[in-house]
Amino acid sequence: MSTLVEQLIQTEAHQSIFESAVRQLPLPVCAAFGSSSSPQPVSFKNTGRVLSTKDSDAVRAQFPQSVAASNNIVLTSSGSNPATVQGKRVAVLFSGGPAAGGHNVVCGLKRVLGAGNTLLGVRAGPKGLLKGSLFEITEANVDFILNTGGFDFLGSDRTKIKSDEQFAQVRETCIKHQLDAIVVVGGDDSNTNAAVLAESLFTGVKADGSGVQVIGVPKTIDGDLQIGDLLSISFGFDTATRIYSEMVGNILQDTSSSLKYWHFVKLMGRSASHVALEVALQTKPAITLISEEIAANQESLASIIDRVARVIVERSHRGMNYGVLLAPEGLIEFIPEMNAMIAELNDVLAHHAADFAAQADDAKPAFVGSRLSPENASLLASLPHYIVNMLLAERDSHGNLQVSLIPTEQLLIDMARQRVRELDANVPFAAHSHFLGYEGRCGAPTLFDAAYTYNLGLTAGSLILDGRTGYMATITGLASGGTPQAIPLAGLLNIERRHGKNEFVIEKALVKMDSPAMQYFVSRREAWAASDLFASPGPRQFWGPTTDQLPISVALNSGADALMFKIG
Ligand code: FBP
């Protein structure tokens, strides 16, 4: 019998009672893969469904080999197994922000590649691919990481592979490690990178003139990688929104207990408001701002603040000097006057990068302001320094404004306070700000994310064994058994302006005003503002009644008749 201290020491290094138990959770697989105890690879056939965008001609010219091979046609599992393939060497990497379920993609890959092929992990994302930092993944690794994390098994980064020198480094890595295929687990930008890599490695990498296959896997907590019925959600969204919903539910419970605070909560999700919308559907707070609606209505900052302040005042008049406001991380970019200013700001920063970098920090706002149009310069000058500093901060390697660093929640509190005072000086307004983001990206995956990612890994591995390249793995029909399918990456590419120039990118999927999830939210939000109808969804469950739950927005948007997912 060990002592309590000995038992506690045994829980170190990912051996908590919880981690040990979730490793044992059985995972369902789509019927196409056969039995869950011994899933088999599937082969693929054309569905006849062709994907196109407004820029398809330009894409065809830039990605000739990928488009010629796929004709941008979606693939579906054929119902048969591919001929046995042995000796393939496949590398897998995580790219961009972490998301729960990444480890299960690795596990699914390992299972489907079987003992006859080798799976290698790339350390620290695309940067590790450039450096050739790879190691062989073992059965013991897979048993240990199943249903856990995060991306901590491999690590991740945001390096964008774009220069000739970087492409040469990738080729060097492929040759050094004798790679046959690379799996990129990432969001819209990373899957764009996968499309570019697939074209660049299409032929002429190995001595016999053949190429290296590249397959993408759709990840991001933001939920902004969605492709209609072909991809109803990226993995990681469910886990992150359930963690945030638990926390927001707890805060809501606190507001109606202590009766004196407003809590302004900014939720991660980058540009899109999917996370904020999902958390609102789960928790029903008094106010939720949806960036896409603000852009669609061309609503000014002053009007947003007025709208918020009026709810605060009206609730106060009903005896509720408390409440919760949810704001999406990317809000600021969608307010029309801000959006126009940020677009000009991005061009100025891209065109004067060296001179800007040479300025002292306190001289930077004036340097940029003098190069903006008068109205944008005066808007920039009107903003508090904590917002200006972040608007001028370095963009990420994909050219994105780092919205997670912008304290929008504080700006909203400061401006709402002033407007509340103007509307009714007797209304008390004590507010706290929160930013929920990093807390939700690496929790143990919900059963939905765990099963979804395991099946995505099985699909990605099957595509490799079936000789495919330039596709993103997907599972369709998530509420009706699940079907492994493949989306041609080149069929998703559009031209967008980034870093002050045109680039091929996969368009971010934003919240649609006419989507069933948005419509339902709109139909209920006035009631949620007027009285306390909030719900506390509690912690995500791994055993119990909510284990098989789908995100509410995904269930509504995909026309499901219940909140449950069904794989297998
Ligand atoms: P991905 O799009 O790469 O999945 O990133 C998601 C995200 O969590 C965003 O919601 C957030 O804006 C960003 O990453 C934060 O980035 P970082 O981890 O570099 O601070």
Side-chain angles (χ1 to χ4, degrees):
M1 187 64 177
S2 57
T3 65
L4 178 57
V5 168
E6 283 164 349
Q7 290 169 41
L8 292 176
I9 289 172
Q10 277 168 18
T11 62
E12 290 175 359
H14 299 296
Q15 298 284 12
S16 65
I17 298 170
F18 170 77
E19 285 163 303
S20 302
V22 285
R23 274 187 197 107
Q24 309 306 323
L25 278 175
L27 294 174
V29 300
C30 304
F33 295 118
S35 79
S36 55
S37 56
S38 172
Q40 297 301 308
V42 294
S43 57
F44 292 84
K45 62 179 185 190
N46 282 352
T47 57
R49 180 168 172 185
V50 180
L51 300 186
S52 64
T53 68
K54 64 176 177 24
D55 299 312
S56 287
D57 289 342
V59 175
R60 187 177 293 274
Q62 193 73 23
F63 296 79
Q65 305 177 99
S66 307
V67 176
S70 71
N71 286 313
N72 288 342
I73 297 176
V74 175
L75 305 178
T76 191
S77 60
S78 68
S80 59
N81 307 116
T84 306
V85 176
Q86 299 232 308
K88 283 219 180 212
R89 292 175 61 79
V90 179
V92 56
L93 65 90
F94 295 142
S95 179
H103 288 174
N104 281 17
V105 174
V106 175
C107 299
L109 277 167
K110 179 79 182 161
R111 287 279 173 273
V112 84
L113 292 175
N117 301 288
T118 305
L119 182 63
L120 300 128
V122 181
R123 287 196 185 87
K127 201 191 281 168
L129 189 65
L130 299 178
K131 288 190 188 154
S133 178
L134 277 67
F135 68 100
E136 186 172 338
I137 296 174
T138 64
E139 282 295 334
N141 291 147
V142 162
D143 290 344
F144 193 70
I145 62 174
L146 188 71
N147 298 337
T148 67
F151 278 3
D152 47 305
F153 175 54
L154 298 177
S156 181
D157 94 319
R158 292 193 184 278
T159 300
K160 180 173 182 175
I161 299 171
K162 55 182 175 194
S163 69
D164 291 347
E165 192 194 342
Q166 288 173 315
F167 284 115
Q169 282 175 290
V170 172
R171 279 170 178 264
E172 231 172 81
T173 298
C174 291
I175 293 164
K176 178 173 156 201
H177 292 277
Q178 301 168 322
L179 297 184
D180 297 291
I182 301 171
V183 177
V184 177
V185 180
D188 52 328
D189 288 332
S190 308
N191 273 284
T192 298
N193 229 202
V196 176
L197 267 183
E199 182 67 23
S200 138
L201 301 177
F202 203 90
T203 51
V205 184
K206 297 187 223 155
D208 64 1
S210 59
V212 168
Q213 298 162 254
V214 181
I215 298 295
V217 175
K219 160 250 52 164
T220 175
I221 66 152
D222 302 346
D224 59 1
L225 183 50
Q226 293 182 22
I227 304 155
D229 59 330
L230 287 176
L231 181 64
S232 49
I233 196 64
S234 49
F235 81 76
F237 176 80
D238 185 46
T239 308
T241 53
R242 291 238 233 150
I243 292 173
Y244 304 146
S245 296
E246 181 196 355
M247 293 167 132
V248 170
N250 294 348
I251 292 174
L252 279 157
Q253 207 70 57
D254 189 289
T255 58
S256 67
S257 304
S258 52
L259 306 172
K260 58 178 178 178
Y261 292 127
W262 271 85
H263 290 263
F264 279 36
V265 185
K266 182 176 75 172
L267 289 160
M268 214 176 225
R270 213 189 273 286
S271 305
S273 306
H274 298 290
V275 171
L277 178 58
E278 176 66 25
V279 176
L281 294 174
Q282 301 253 3
T283 60
K284 301 116 172 81
I287 310 173
T288 301
L289 302 175
I290 300 292
S291 306
E292 293 84 341
E293 185 181 33
I294 285 164
N297 295 341
Q298 290 287 293
E299 192 176 9
S300 66
L301 182 57
S303 158
I304 298 165
I305 296 300
D306 184 63
R307 183 153 64 93
V308 168
R310 283 182 192 281
V311 174
I312 294 168
V313 169
E314 276 158 32
R315 279 176 70 93
S316 174
H317 291 167
R318 289 164 184 253
M320 294 178 287
N321 288 308
Y322 59 87
V324 166
L325 172 146
L326 302 182
E329 183 181 61
L331 176 69
I332 217 152
E333 286 184 297
F334 285 75
I335 301 170
E337 68 266 30
M338 291 285 195
N339 181 277
M341 181 193 63
I342 291 167
E344 197 184 1
L345 201 61
N346 285 345
D347 276 355
V348 169
L349 292 175
H351 290 124
H352 301 275
D355 288 347
F356 175 75
Q359 304 295 313
D361 282 352
D362 56 357
K364 284 180 173 170
F367 175 87
V368 171
S370 66
R371 285 159 179 81
L372 292 174
S373 64
E375 60 274 23
N376 286 338
S378 85
L379 177 58
L380 187 70
S382 74
L383 295 170
H385 68 91
Y386 56 81
I387 298 288
V388 174
N389 291 347
M390 290 305 133
L391 289 174
L392 299 183
E394 207 180 323
R395 276 33 181 174
D396 75 11
S397 56
H398 293 271
N400 301 309
L401 182 67
Q402 300 199 53
V403 282
S404 62
L405 303 179
I406 302 176
T408 325
E409 63 283 23
Q410 194 54 50
L411 178 72
L412 292 173
I413 288 177
D414 292 345
M415 295 185 78
R417 176 172 291 118
Q418 199 175 325
R419 185 71 188 127
V420 166
R421 217 176 283 142
E422 287 163 13
L423 291 171
D424 184 343
N426 294 320
V427 167
F429 178 61
H432 292 285
S433 64
H434 308 259
F435 171 36
L436 299 182
Y438 300 102
E439 299 83 346
R441 305 196 302 183
C442 288
T446 56
L447 203 62
F448 170 72
D449 272 330
Y452 184 30
T453 46
Y454 186 63
N455 281 271
L456 284 170
L458 295 174
T459 305
S462 294
L463 284 163
I464 289 164
L465 296 177
D466 202 36
R468 311 289 180 160
T469 187
Y471 289 90
M472 177 162 64
T474 185
I475 305 291
T476 57
L478 289 166
S480 54
T483 305
Q485 297 207 317
I487 302 171
L489 285 165
L492 302 177
L493 298 176
N494 292 273
I495 295 175
E496 257 180 38
R497 203 153 176 79
R498 296 264 179 105
H499 287 296
K501 57 180 201 278
N502 289 341
E503 290 188 9
F504 287 100
V505 295
I506 297 174
E507 199 178 356
K508 284 188 198 303
L510 302 178
V511 171
K512 292 197 178 86
M513 290 308 98
D514 59 356
S515 63
M518 183 67 193
Q519 297 277 305
Y520 170 68
F521 163 72
V522 169
S523 74
R524 297 299 306 145
R525 67 177 159 193
E526 278 172 27
W528 299 347
S531 35
D532 276 343
L533 296 180
F534 69 84
S536 184
R540 64 201 191 289
Q541 293 187 325
F542 299 86
W543 305 267
T546 62
T547 314
D548 292 338
Q549 203 172 297
L550 262 178
I552 297 176
S553 52
V554 174
L556 286 169
N557 289 342
S558 55
D561 47 18
L563 260 191
M564 300 295 147
F565 77 88
K566 184 175 177 339
I567 292 181

